[in-house]
Amino acid sequence: MSKLILIDGNSIANRAFYALPLLSNSSGLHTNAVFGFTTMLLKLIEEQKPTHFLVAFDAGKITFRHTDYKEYKGGRAKTPPELSEQFPLIKDLIRAFTISQFELEGYEADDIIGTMTRAADEQGMDVLVVTGDKDMLQLASDRVTIAITRKGISEIELYDPAQLKERYGLTPDQIRDLKGLMGDSSDNIPGIPGVGEKTALKLLHEYGSVEEVLANAGSIKGKMGEKIQAHADDARMSKELATIFRDVPMSISWEEQAYNGYDKQALGSVFRKLEFKSLLEKMDFSGAEETDEEPAVLEELNTRILTEESVGDFAEKLPQVLSLHVEVIGDNPHNAVVLGAAFNTEDAAYYAPLDVLKAEAAEPVRRWLADPDKPKKMCDLHRALVALAWEGIPLEGCVFDVMLATYLLDPTESTLTLNALASKYKLSGVKDDAEVFGKGAKFKVPEVDQVSEHLCRKAAAIYQIASIQEKELEDNGMNRLYHELELPLSNVLGDMEKQGIKVNKQELEDIGRELSERIAQLIGHIYEHAGGEFNINSPKQLGEILFDRLNLPVYKKTKTGPSTDAEVLERLRTKHEIVSHILDYRTLAKLQSTYIEGLLKEIRPSDGKIHTVYKQTIAATGRLSSQYPNLQNIPIRLEEGRKIRKAFVPSEPGWRILAADYSQIELRVLAHISHDERLMEAFHENMDIHTKTAMDVFGVSEAEVDKNMRRSAKAVNFGIVYGISDYGLSQNLDITRAEAAKFIEQYFAVFQGVRRYMDDIIKKAREDGYVTTLLQRRRYLPEIKASNYNLRSFAERTAMNTPIQGTAADIIKLAMVQMAERLQEEKLKSRMLLQVHDELVFEVPEEELETMSRLVPEVMENALPLDVPLKVDVEHGINWYEAK
DNA sequence: ACTCTCACG
DNA sequence: ACGTACGTGAGAGTG
């Protein structure tokens, strides 16, 4: 017999919170509601033995009830922060119990439960609804029992229709009438003034329903009759409001709600985090702890070292490989050393040093590695991909990368090593790389048996970590983001990096020579004005010259002394002739050292190309980053620097560089997620967004927008994307804070949807503890509840910015995966080479220029359709500079 | 290893 | 009263 338990999460959390003293654990986290919730769940599981289980939560502050009655729940006190901070913990707890949970924007838990009970009733399931809210009694039926908490949560009172009749003399349906007459102060439902429970019951026993009471109001004597007549509409509306909506648009698959007991290990770790000591003792997690500390990885792992002789036989074991690890030594995978690969199977792990992997006898192993239909679980696919490619060993078919999964589960996690991961998941036995290899100058590869042991353990850990993370990703709703975006993208990035971009060495050297001459002249002038030689590159020495010797005013200080950054020097420009020379020197010295010398060092003599490394697991927002060298910050804003781009050329004669960039992608994303009317209109009509903003904020016509107004509007738009603050805007526009605040106020008065988004996202971050992008990428913001103003403000701006920047990142990543597919499908020779956050750079043969100029924008603009159009500008030329 | 500065989106 | 715009990487100087 199936038995479904449905819990009204918000109601039970509230009851628990007010019933128990305000407990907190050693890190100051309040835990009383979580504790109450836990005891409730344990009791239900033990006593009711449910086969199906679901906890429903309210979601979104506006429900359809507000559309009808905007004072709905108006009288309710705000949820205290001590309670709201516990909701994410409760959700974690439920996850550890492996109980399903559900919420839907715009609906309350009642409605979800009402919908579920109806479906369960039709299925012939027995249902127990657990809540503190008597409204829910209206759901009682032969199969549906309602459990109402009493005295907080320690006791429950069960109601089926018979008990309801016995205690109140009402049918379930009449509960709505009861509320209609007496109202409900906690939901701000008015009812009829002066009618309480007693009177309402008396009236219903006599007349049966609100409608009948109202129809007979004339025959009700005295003041009561008058009141009923005067508030007939209130009564009708109140009944309406008290009616639980039972048609929530949700698909119900009973499999999801099936309950097969809790995950003892996960529950134990949640209890430990919350410091529920009494429960830990009572429930005896020692068994679980033991498996925590003594995992399969440590239990004698059989390891074998493969040789040229034995690797042939190992080929038979390939179908049993559960996971593998490719060890790559060195930061930059393009000139790293592949040490070898470890293969983990159910009964043993095998290590193949690189030379064995490359031996003739290992041909079947290499075929397996290259086979997209042989699934592989790994750690840091991208690194292995690039390093193996240089060894001439293709790798395909990776279905799980624990490093990538760790990043998605928490993109701010900075220690992405298997050693750290293993201990995070309580798997001991994976040593730290530094322990095996040493670090820095002392780095040394030890004997092969030690290497084998270490790498085999890594491989074994990967399998176990992956099986936990698969579930975590699923729970976070990240399956598609992971399998259809990030994992395929790893392969695309690997291809781009291996391909590399051709750089004209001559061109860089020519620019470099010119720079050297000008720098030498500037140095001469600077020494002259300073009255002696010093190291201009040293902020300390420069400060001494400027502020001590030349007595210029100090406008800004750093931790260590007066600041000499460009902003300060700009303000000092008119005060002394030396300053503008220093500014010029800085600009040119930067170009020389970072871009001329820096890039020249990265050109590989073997192919004349630069191969950058895209990092997929660094940026907290979901963006990529680029290293060795960074090709995402090649100069463009100033003409002098922009010329560097002339050195980036196609790798084949007659080909062109084609660059396509999204126009205003972040503001378009903001328009989509905020649904702000004016912002959407601006993009639908393809207007210049900064001019349009100026028109709306200053209330002028297009012709009246002058340069300064547009500049201010542009700064406000940037501010909006970054998470606006009056201080930040005042700095940027060099105006007072009060003026900046006025600008922002004017902006929000017009772009009200944007204001609503900013308020809502901060609130959501506080409730959930994280924010998400359109594709469910997540970023946790624990500091959003900090009492320290700075920390909290920073978290709030991040909450505003991350969904915008992150969604833009989602979109271009999607476009890259789709673009790679299209290039392959349509057998184009063109190659994708670079990504610069909102721009993709290709090299294209002459005959494909027309096709690509059409295809690239088409794919980019439609990668993820939004409620506003995306716009892409595309250009091409003989080098990157000319593709503008 | 850390700080300052500056290049990009 | 507080004190910052969001996200990165690299080079040079200093400790």
Side-chain angles (χ1 to χ4, degrees), chain A residues 262-286:
Chain A
Y262 49 79
D263 178 343
K264 203 162 184 181
Q265 207 162 315
L267 204 54
S269 91
V270 170
F271 285 2
R272 270 188 288 277
K273 179 177 145 203
L274 297 167
E275 298 167 13
F276 288 171
K277 297 198 183 80
S278 59
L279 284 175
L280 279 166
E281 275 172 40
K282 201 166 99 192
M283 292 181 61
D284 185 23
F285 286 103
S286 52

PDB file of all heavy atoms in Angstrom, chain A residues 262-286:
ATOM      1  N   TYR A 262      16.572   7.344   4.480  1.00  0.00           N
ATOM      2  CA  TYR A 262      17.526   8.435   4.336  1.00  0.00           C
ATOM      3  C   TYR A 262      18.940   7.939   4.109  1.00  0.00           C
ATOM      4  O   TYR A 262      19.254   6.776   4.305  1.00  0.00           O
ATOM      5  CB  TYR A 262      17.466   9.377   5.543  1.00  0.00           C
ATOM      6  CG  TYR A 262      17.517   8.707   6.896  1.00  0.00           C
ATOM      7  CD1 TYR A 262      18.716   8.277   7.430  1.00  0.00           C
ATOM      8  CD2 TYR A 262      16.337   8.539   7.644  1.00  0.00           C
ATOM      9  CE1 TYR A 262      18.762   7.684   8.667  1.00  0.00           C
ATOM     10  CE2 TYR A 262      16.380   7.944   8.881  1.00  0.00           C
ATOM     11  CZ  TYR A 262      17.591   7.512   9.399  1.00  0.00           C
ATOM     12  OH  TYR A 262      17.639   6.928  10.625  1.00  0.00           O
ATOM     13  N   ASP A 263      19.767   8.869   3.646  1.00  0.00           N
ATOM     14  CA  ASP A 263      21.179   8.613   3.395  1.00  0.00           C
ATOM     15  C   ASP A 263      21.923   8.862   4.709  1.00  0.00           C
ATOM     16  O   ASP A 263      22.149   9.994   5.104  1.00  0.00           O
ATOM     17  CB  ASP A 263      21.646   9.595   2.303  1.00  0.00           C
ATOM     18  CG  ASP A 263      23.123   9.461   1.985  1.00  0.00           C
ATOM     19  OD1 ASP A 263      23.850   8.860   2.817  1.00  0.00           O
ATOM     20  OD2 ASP A 263      23.535   9.935   0.933  1.00  0.00           O
ATOM     21  N   LYS A 264      22.261   7.772   5.361  1.00  0.00           N
ATOM     22  CA  LYS A 264      22.797   7.881   6.711  1.00  0.00           C
ATOM     23  C   LYS A 264      24.067   8.734   6.759  1.00  0.00           C
ATOM     24  O   LYS A 264      24.253   9.546   7.654  1.00  0.00           O
ATOM     25  CB  LYS A 264      23.109   6.475   7.252  1.00  0.00           C
ATOM     26  CG  LYS A 264      23.140   6.441   8.764  1.00  0.00           C
ATOM     27  CD  LYS A 264      23.017   5.026   9.293  1.00  0.00           C
ATOM     28  CE  LYS A 264      22.964   5.067  10.801  1.00  0.00           C
ATOM     29  NZ  LYS A 264      22.871   3.738  11.406  1.00  0.00           N
ATOM     30  N   GLN A 265      24.887   8.553   5.748  1.00  0.00           N
ATOM     31  CA  GLN A 265      26.145   9.300   5.720  1.00  0.00           C
ATOM     32  C   GLN A 265      25.897  10.799   5.554  1.00  0.00           C
ATOM     33  O   GLN A 265      26.462  11.616   6.277  1.00  0.00           O
ATOM     34  CB  GLN A 265      26.979   8.782   4.550  1.00  0.00           C
ATOM     35  CG  GLN A 265      28.456   8.950   4.771  1.00  0.00           C
ATOM     36  CD  GLN A 265      29.224   8.043   3.816  1.00  0.00           C
ATOM     37  OE1 GLN A 265      28.890   6.870   3.637  1.00  0.00           O
ATOM     38  NE2 GLN A 265      30.234   8.604   3.193  1.00  0.00           N
ATOM     39  N   ALA A 266      25.037  11.126   4.594  1.00  0.00           N
ATOM     40  CA  ALA A 266      24.742  12.533   4.336  1.00  0.00           C
ATOM     41  C   ALA A 266      24.080  13.169   5.556  1.00  0.00           C
ATOM     42  O   ALA A 266      24.415  14.288   5.952  1.00  0.00           O
ATOM     43  CB  ALA A 266      23.834  12.662   3.119  1.00  0.00           C
ATOM     44  N   LEU A 267      23.171  12.414   6.159  1.00  0.00           N
ATOM     45  CA  LEU A 267      22.464  12.935   7.318  1.00  0.00           C
ATOM     46  C   LEU A 267      23.440  13.157   8.473  1.00  0.00           C
ATOM     47  O   LEU A 267      23.406  14.176   9.148  1.00  0.00           O
ATOM     48  CB  LEU A 267      21.366  11.944   7.723  1.00  0.00           C
ATOM     49  CG  LEU A 267      20.206  12.531   8.501  1.00  0.00           C
ATOM     50  CD1 LEU A 267      19.581  13.700   7.753  1.00  0.00           C
ATOM     51  CD2 LEU A 267      19.153  11.458   8.765  1.00  0.00           C
ATOM     52  N   GLY A 268      24.336  12.175   8.651  1.00  0.00           N
ATOM     53  CA  GLY A 268      25.342  12.293   9.704  1.00  0.00           C
ATOM     54  C   GLY A 268      26.169  13.552   9.499  1.00  0.00           C
ATOM     55  O   GLY A 268      26.448  14.283  10.448  1.00  0.00           O
ATOM     56  N   SER A 269      26.544  13.827   8.240  1.00  0.00           N
ATOM     57  CA  SER A 269      27.417  14.983   8.022  1.00  0.00           C
ATOM     58  C   SER A 269      26.644  16.291   8.216  1.00  0.00           C
ATOM     59  O   SER A 269      27.192  17.274   8.713  1.00  0.00           O
ATOM     60  CB  SER A 269      28.103  14.891   6.656  1.00  0.00           C
ATOM     61  OG  SER A 269      27.350  15.514   5.673  1.00  0.00           O
ATOM     62  N   VAL A 270      25.354  16.301   7.858  1.00  0.00           N
ATOM     63  CA  VAL A 270      24.540  17.496   8.127  1.00  0.00           C
ATOM     64  C   VAL A 270      24.395  17.701   9.637  1.00  0.00           C
ATOM     65  O   VAL A 270      24.545  18.816  10.148  1.00  0.00           O
ATOM     66  CB  VAL A 270      23.152  17.381   7.462  1.00  0.00           C
ATOM     67  CG1 VAL A 270      22.228  18.493   7.948  1.00  0.00           C
ATOM     68  CG2 VAL A 270      23.270  17.443   5.951  1.00  0.00           C
ATOM     69  N   PHE A 271      24.151  16.628  10.355  1.00  0.00           N
ATOM     70  CA  PHE A 271      24.003  16.737  11.803  1.00  0.00           C
ATOM     71  C   PHE A 271      25.281  17.240  12.459  1.00  0.00           C
ATOM     72  O   PHE A 271      25.255  18.025  13.392  1.00  0.00           O
ATOM     73  CB  PHE A 271      23.626  15.377  12.420  1.00  0.00           C
ATOM     74  CG  PHE A 271      22.181  14.990  12.185  1.00  0.00           C
ATOM     75  CD1 PHE A 271      21.332  15.790  11.436  1.00  0.00           C
ATOM     76  CD2 PHE A 271      21.669  13.824  12.735  1.00  0.00           C
ATOM     77  CE1 PHE A 271      20.008  15.436  11.204  1.00  0.00           C
ATOM     78  CE2 PHE A 271      20.336  13.455  12.523  1.00  0.00           C
ATOM     79  CZ  PHE A 271      19.521  14.267  11.751  1.00  0.00           C
ATOM     80  N   ARG A 272      26.401  16.759  11.914  1.00  0.00           N
ATOM     81  CA  ARG A 272      27.675  17.202  12.480  1.00  0.00           C
ATOM     82  C   ARG A 272      27.873  18.683  12.235  1.00  0.00           C
ATOM     83  O   ARG A 272      28.300  19.424  13.105  1.00  0.00           O
ATOM     84  CB  ARG A 272      28.842  16.407  11.881  1.00  0.00           C
ATOM     85  CG  ARG A 272      29.158  15.149  12.705  1.00  0.00           C
ATOM     86  CD  ARG A 272      30.441  14.491  12.219  1.00  0.00           C
ATOM     87  NE  ARG A 272      30.241  13.841  10.938  1.00  0.00           N
ATOM     88  CZ  ARG A 272      29.729  12.623  10.789  1.00  0.00           C
ATOM     89  NH1 ARG A 272      29.386  11.902  11.839  1.00  0.00           N
ATOM     90  NH2 ARG A 272      29.568  12.102   9.602  1.00  0.00           N
ATOM     91  N   LYS A 273      27.523  19.121  11.023  1.00  0.00           N
ATOM     92  CA  LYS A 273      27.665  20.540  10.682  1.00  0.00           C
ATOM     93  C   LYS A 273      26.781  21.396  11.594  1.00  0.00           C
ATOM     94  O   LYS A 273      27.179  22.469  12.042  1.00  0.00           O
ATOM     95  CB  LYS A 273      27.282  20.737   9.207  1.00  0.00           C
ATOM     96  CG  LYS A 273      27.366  22.160   8.710  1.00  0.00           C
ATOM     97  CD  LYS A 273      27.040  22.242   7.227  1.00  0.00           C
ATOM     98  CE  LYS A 273      26.290  23.541   6.927  1.00  0.00           C
ATOM     99  NZ  LYS A 273      25.500  23.466   5.698  1.00  0.00           N
ATOM    100  N   LEU A 274      25.590  20.904  11.847  1.00  0.00           N
ATOM    101  CA  LEU A 274      24.654  21.661  12.674  1.00  0.00           C
ATOM    102  C   LEU A 274      24.922  21.456  14.163  1.00  0.00           C
ATOM    103  O   LEU A 274      24.355  22.140  15.000  1.00  0.00           O
ATOM    104  CB  LEU A 274      23.220  21.246  12.347  1.00  0.00           C
ATOM    105  CG  LEU A 274      22.749  21.537  10.917  1.00  0.00           C
ATOM    106  CD1 LEU A 274      21.454  20.825  10.613  1.00  0.00           C
ATOM    107  CD2 LEU A 274      22.580  23.036  10.701  1.00  0.00           C
ATOM    108  N   GLU A 275      25.786  20.510  14.450  1.00  0.00           N
ATOM    109  CA  GLU A 275      26.122  20.151  15.831  1.00  0.00           C
ATOM    110  C   GLU A 275      24.910  19.646  16.613  1.00  0.00           C
ATOM    111  O   GLU A 275      24.658  20.062  17.740  1.00  0.00           O
ATOM    112  CB  GLU A 275      26.814  21.338  16.535  1.00  0.00           C
ATOM    113  CG  GLU A 275      28.126  21.700  15.854  1.00  0.00           C
ATOM    114  CD  GLU A 275      28.708  23.045  16.298  1.00  0.00           C
ATOM    115  OE1 GLU A 275      28.236  23.596  17.300  1.00  0.00           O
ATOM    116  OE2 GLU A 275      29.625  23.532  15.623  1.00  0.00           O
ATOM    117  N   PHE A 276      24.167  18.756  15.994  1.00  0.00           N
ATOM    118  CA  PHE A 276      23.053  18.096  16.679  1.00  0.00           C
ATOM    119  C   PHE A 276      23.614  16.897  17.449  1.00  0.00           C
ATOM    120  O   PHE A 276      23.489  15.751  17.014  1.00  0.00           O
ATOM    121  CB  PHE A 276      21.994  17.622  15.668  1.00  0.00           C
ATOM    122  CG  PHE A 276      21.199  18.742  15.055  1.00  0.00           C
ATOM    123  CD1 PHE A 276      20.341  18.493  13.994  1.00  0.00           C
ATOM    124  CD2 PHE A 276      21.283  20.042  15.551  1.00  0.00           C
ATOM    125  CE1 PHE A 276      19.599  19.521  13.426  1.00  0.00           C
ATOM    126  CE2 PHE A 276      20.542  21.069  14.983  1.00  0.00           C
ATOM    127  CZ  PHE A 276      19.700  20.805  13.912  1.00  0.00           C
ATOM    128  N   LYS A 277      24.242  17.182  18.584  1.00  0.00           N
ATOM    129  CA  LYS A 277      24.990  16.130  19.269  1.00  0.00           C
ATOM    130  C   LYS A 277      24.080  15.041  19.798  1.00  0.00           C
ATOM    131  O   LYS A 277      24.385  13.845  19.694  1.00  0.00           O
ATOM    132  CB  LYS A 277      25.827  16.743  20.400  1.00  0.00           C
ATOM    133  CG  LYS A 277      26.874  17.720  19.856  1.00  0.00           C
ATOM    134  CD  LYS A 277      27.979  17.996  20.845  1.00  0.00           C
ATOM    135  CE  LYS A 277      28.956  19.031  20.309  1.00  0.00           C
ATOM    136  NZ  LYS A 277      28.504  20.433  20.435  1.00  0.00           N
ATOM    137  N   SER A 278      22.933  15.455  20.369  1.00  0.00           N
ATOM    138  CA  SER A 278      22.060  14.438  20.955  1.00  0.00           C
ATOM    139  C   SER A 278      21.545  13.488  19.874  1.00  0.00           C
ATOM    140  O   SER A 278      21.493  12.269  20.069  1.00  0.00           O
ATOM    141  CB  SER A 278      20.893  15.104  21.679  1.00  0.00           C
ATOM    142  OG  SER A 278      20.161  15.898  20.760  1.00  0.00           O
ATOM    143  N   LEU A 279      21.200  14.051  18.723  1.00  0.00           N
ATOM    144  CA  LEU A 279      20.706  13.198  17.637  1.00  0.00           C
ATOM    145  C   LEU A 279      21.805  12.281  17.114  1.00  0.00           C
ATOM    146  O   LEU A 279      21.573  11.119  16.812  1.00  0.00           O
ATOM    147  CB  LEU A 279      20.159  14.051  16.491  1.00  0.00           C
ATOM    148  CG  LEU A 279      18.782  14.669  16.737  1.00  0.00           C
ATOM    149  CD1 LEU A 279      18.403  15.589  15.592  1.00  0.00           C
ATOM    150  CD2 LEU A 279      17.733  13.570  16.885  1.00  0.00           C
ATOM    151  N   LEU A 280      23.022  12.826  17.018  1.00  0.00           N
ATOM    152  CA  LEU A 280      24.145  12.025  16.530  1.00  0.00           C
ATOM    153  C   LEU A 280      24.346  10.799  17.422  1.00  0.00           C
ATOM    154  O   LEU A 280      24.577   9.691  16.942  1.00  0.00           O
ATOM    155  CB  LEU A 280      25.420  12.866  16.500  1.00  0.00           C
ATOM    156  CG  LEU A 280      25.574  13.772  15.276  1.00  0.00           C
ATOM    157  CD1 LEU A 280      26.666  14.812  15.497  1.00  0.00           C
ATOM    158  CD2 LEU A 280      25.878  12.953  14.034  1.00  0.00           C
ATOM    159  N   GLU A 281      24.247  11.044  18.739  1.00  0.00           N
ATOM    160  CA  GLU A 281      24.438   9.921  19.663  1.00  0.00           C
ATOM    161  C   GLU A 281      23.273   8.946  19.574  1.00  0.00           C
ATOM    162  O   GLU A 281      23.443   7.746  19.434  1.00  0.00           O
ATOM    163  CB  GLU A 281      24.553  10.444  21.095  1.00  0.00           C
ATOM    164  CG  GLU A 281      25.966  10.860  21.434  1.00  0.00           C
ATOM    165  CD  GLU A 281      26.033  11.550  22.792  1.00  0.00           C
ATOM    166  OE1 GLU A 281      25.334  11.091  23.729  1.00  0.00           O
ATOM    167  OE2 GLU A 281      26.771  12.545  22.898  1.00  0.00           O
ATOM    168  N   LYS A 282      22.070   9.524  19.629  1.00  0.00           N
ATOM    169  CA  LYS A 282      20.873   8.699  19.659  1.00  0.00           C
ATOM    170  C   LYS A 282      20.771   7.807  18.422  1.00  0.00           C
ATOM    171  O   LYS A 282      20.371   6.652  18.498  1.00  0.00           O
ATOM    172  CB  LYS A 282      19.638   9.610  19.751  1.00  0.00           C
ATOM    173  CG  LYS A 282      18.409   8.906  20.280  1.00  0.00           C
ATOM    174  CD  LYS A 282      17.329   9.914  20.666  1.00  0.00           C
ATOM    175  CE  LYS A 282      16.295  10.047  19.568  1.00  0.00           C
ATOM    176  NZ  LYS A 282      15.402  11.183  19.774  1.00  0.00           N
ATOM    177  N   MET A 283      21.150   8.385  17.279  1.00  0.00           N
ATOM    178  CA  MET A 283      20.931   7.631  16.048  1.00  0.00           C
ATOM    179  C   MET A 283      22.121   6.763  15.668  1.00  0.00           C
ATOM    180  O   MET A 283      22.045   5.994  14.722  1.00  0.00           O
ATOM    181  CB  MET A 283      20.614   8.588  14.908  1.00  0.00           C
ATOM    182  CG  MET A 283      19.266   9.233  15.126  1.00  0.00           C
ATOM    183  SD  MET A 283      18.861  10.335  13.804  1.00  0.00           S
ATOM    184  CE  MET A 283      18.846   9.242  12.405  1.00  0.00           C
ATOM    185  N   ASP A 284      23.209   6.921  16.404  1.00  0.00           N
ATOM    186  CA  ASP A 284      24.378   6.086  16.181  1.00  0.00           C
ATOM    187  C   ASP A 284      24.865   6.100  14.739  1.00  0.00           C
ATOM    188  O   ASP A 284      24.578   5.204  13.952  1.00  0.00           O
ATOM    189  CB  ASP A 284      24.072   4.635  16.605  1.00  0.00           C
ATOM    190  CG  ASP A 284      25.339   3.794  16.492  1.00  0.00           C
ATOM    191  OD1 ASP A 284      26.433   4.390  16.532  1.00  0.00           O
ATOM    192  OD2 ASP A 284      25.213   2.573  16.362  1.00  0.00           O
ATOM    193  N   PHE A 285      25.569   7.163  14.433  1.00  0.00           N
ATOM    194  CA  PHE A 285      26.134   7.255  13.095  1.00  0.00           C
ATOM    195  C   PHE A 285      27.547   6.676  13.053  1.00  0.00           C
ATOM    196  O   PHE A 285      28.283   6.884  12.116  1.00  0.00           O
ATOM    197  CB  PHE A 285      26.191   8.710  12.629  1.00  0.00           C
ATOM    198  CG  PHE A 285      24.848   9.257  12.258  1.00  0.00           C
ATOM    199  CD1 PHE A 285      24.162  10.099  13.102  1.00  0.00           C
ATOM    200  CD2 PHE A 285      24.267   8.895  11.048  1.00  0.00           C
ATOM    201  CE1 PHE A 285      22.932  10.592  12.749  1.00  0.00           C
ATOM    202  CE2 PHE A 285      23.029   9.388  10.696  1.00  0.00           C
ATOM    203  CZ  PHE A 285      22.357  10.243  11.550  1.00  0.00           C
ATOM    204  N   SER A 286      27.912   5.957  14.122  1.00  0.00           N
ATOM    205  CA  SER A 286      29.298   5.498  14.173  1.00  0.00           C
ATOM    206  C   SER A 286      29.612   4.590  12.992  1.00  0.00           C
ATOM    207  O   SER A 286      30.686   4.644  12.424  1.00  0.00           O
ATOM    208  CB  SER A 286      29.556   4.768  15.493  1.00  0.00           C
ATOM    209  OG  SER A 286      28.573   3.773  15.668  1.00  0.00           O
TER     210      SER A 286
END
